[in-house]
Amino acid sequence: MYQYQSLLECIEAHSRPFVAQGAVANYIPALAEVDPDRFSMALVTVDGQVFSIGDTHTRFTIQSVSKVMTLTLALQRYGESLWERVGKEPSGTAFNSITQLEFEKGIPRNPFINAGAIVTCDALYSRVSAPIHSMLEAFRTQSANAKVIIDKKVAASEYEHRHRNAALAHLMKSFGNFDNHVEEVLKAYFSYCAIELNVIELAKAYSYLSNHGFCQYSNQQLLSSRQTKQLNSLLFTSGLYDAAGDFAYRVGMPGKSGVSGAIIAVAPGRFTVAVQSPRLDKIGNSVAGIEALAKLSELIDFNAF
Ligand code: GLU
């Protein structure tokens, strides 16, 4: 059994110098207002132990890490038929790229780039009567905090600067791959991105990914064991923007990052880990977050193969 708390202390000492590297995302103005020097990390084991380090009380918006929950809720309702509307391949282009979507006739490469998440939101919107409330409830029960809220300032800032995401949605609509009102779906999408959690809540919320689809906090089987393996496979190939290959090589875990500097990673059967530090590398991943996860993988000699 690993002494996870002392491992985290060692990881923090290793990662702190990297916190100053990179730049905070500013294409959503409200995101640029965060304290750039934050670092926090939490690890939740499948038997319910929680270990953490750093600024664990401060909440941050989870941004693209929410795409994993969107996919989970959509898979619960559509199963395999969801894949008629979104692919399973790495994109090889930026997370908000438009050109590939044009070439591929409005079917996004995977559910973790913006177009793929937005079309998944559209699918969810068709089957859930109060989608924003349902998403909040999912995070509340799974993170064991009934008070989880949306940062309305960030959601409004994203909506105000929505043009590229709106273009993706309209392009999909022109190809017949979008059913609902674009503005309504975008509001839901931005609300999911602007959900605020601290790093412990984030690790708890995604603990089902390491536990065969079972969430120990909500006591719910969210996905079947097979679906969970499949979701983790997609995270492994597409969860880290255009750096998924490098992350697979260095860290070797399924993962998902967001422009707020949050990253989750999954050691199936063992733990889910979350880390957050706002400064990003050129691809959009937290510099210190990647360093921390690479160090964790090295220290526990993790190897999924
Ligand atoms: N809300 C962000 C956007 O749609 C999420 C991007 C991300 O975290 O990758 O641009």
Side-chain angles (χ1 to χ4, degrees):
M1 180 64 189
Y2 286 101
Q3 300 297 316
Y4 285 120
Q5 193 58 39
S6 51
L7 282 183
L8 289 187
E9 282 158 24
C10 173
I11 291 165
E12 184 185 28
H14 166 81
S15 308
R16 278 278 173 199
F18 293 94
V19 169
Q21 292 185 20
V24 177
N26 59 6
Y27 76 104
I28 303 166
L31 274 188
E33 291 170 21
V34 301
D35 170 5
D37 295 321
R38 279 184 199 161
F39 176 86
S40 57
M41 188 169 187
L43 186 148
V44 173
T45 64
V46 291
D47 59 0
Q49 297 182 76
V50 178
F51 304 94
S52 62
I53 197 90
D55 181 13
T56 52
H57 295 291
T58 309
R59 296 199 163 83
F60 47 85
T61 64
I62 61 172
Q63 294 300 323
S64 271
V65 184
S66 66
K67 291 174 166 107
V68 185
M69 197 64 75
T70 308
L71 178 62
T72 298
L73 299 192
L75 282 173
Q76 288 170 347
R77 286 156 181 88
Y78 287 88
E80 286 295 300
S81 67
L82 184 70
W83 304 114
E84 290 162 18
R85 300 188 57 188
V86 58
K88 306 187 201 79
E89 300 301 330
S91 74
T93 56
F95 69 100
N96 54 5
S97 168
I98 289 181
T99 45
Q100 192 170 54
L101 196 58
E102 164 75 357
F103 287 128
E104 299 185 355
K105 303 198 181 339
I107 307 289
R109 276 284 173 105
N110 67 66
F112 305 126
I113 53 174
N114 281 15
I118 292 168
V119 82
T120 309
C121 285
D122 178 55
L124 201 55
Y125 199 93
S126 298
R127 293 266 171 107
V128 177
S129 55
I132 297 175
H133 176 75
S134 301
M135 184 63 75
L136 261 180
E137 277 307 302
F139 276 106
R140 283 174 179 156
T141 53
Q142 286 165 227
S143 69
N145 175 7
K147 296 200 177 110
V148 169
I149 55 165
I150 292 164
D151 182 331
K152 295 224 163 80
K153 192 173 167 204
V154 170
S157 182
E158 296 206 43
Y159 186 71
E160 195 185 332
H161 298 268
R162 68 189 175 286
H163 309 298
R164 180 170 277 267
N165 285 321
L168 294 169
H170 282 291
L171 192 55
M172 290 191 281
K173 207 165 182 74
S174 79
F175 282 108
N177 191 20
F178 208 90
D179 296 327
N180 299 289
H181 195 273
V182 165
E183 299 300 313
E184 293 306 311
V185 174
L186 286 178
K187 277 182 196 156
Y189 167 76
F190 293 133
S191 298
Y192 306 161
C193 291
I195 286 174
E196 276 193 313
L197 299 175
N198 65 36
V199 81
I200 296 174
E201 292 160 350
L202 185 61
K204 285 182 175 175
Y206 286 114
S207 66
Y208 66 97
L209 293 174
S210 52
N211 203 12
H212 310 283
F214 180 75
C215 175
Q216 57 193 314
Y217 301 100
S218 65
N219 216 14
Q220 290 169 312
Q221 187 73 40
L222 296 164
L223 294 174
S224 69
S225 181
R226 176 144 182 81
Q227 283 175 313
T228 308
K229 283 185 193 179
Q230 291 169 330
L231 199 160
N232 280 329
S233 299
L234 298 180
L235 287 173
F236 197 76
T237 52
S238 304
L240 271 283
Y241 305 121
D242 233 2
D246 194 53
F247 189 78
Y249 184 81
R250 288 188 72 196
V251 179
M253 297 180 203
K256 181 73 199 93
S257 55
V259 290
S260 54
I263 311 176
I264 57 158
V266 181
R270 293 168 70 178
F271 59 76
T272 296
V273 58
V275 59
Q276 195 253 350
S277 190
R279 289 194 178 94
L280 310 178
D281 61 22
K282 287 199 168 52
I283 292 175
N285 294 314
S286 167
V287 178
I290 298 274
E291 283 302 322
L293 293 170
K295 193 71 188 169
L296 172 66
S297 173
E298 181 194 317
L299 290 174
I300 64 172
D301 194 19
F302 183 84
N303 194 330
F305 302 99

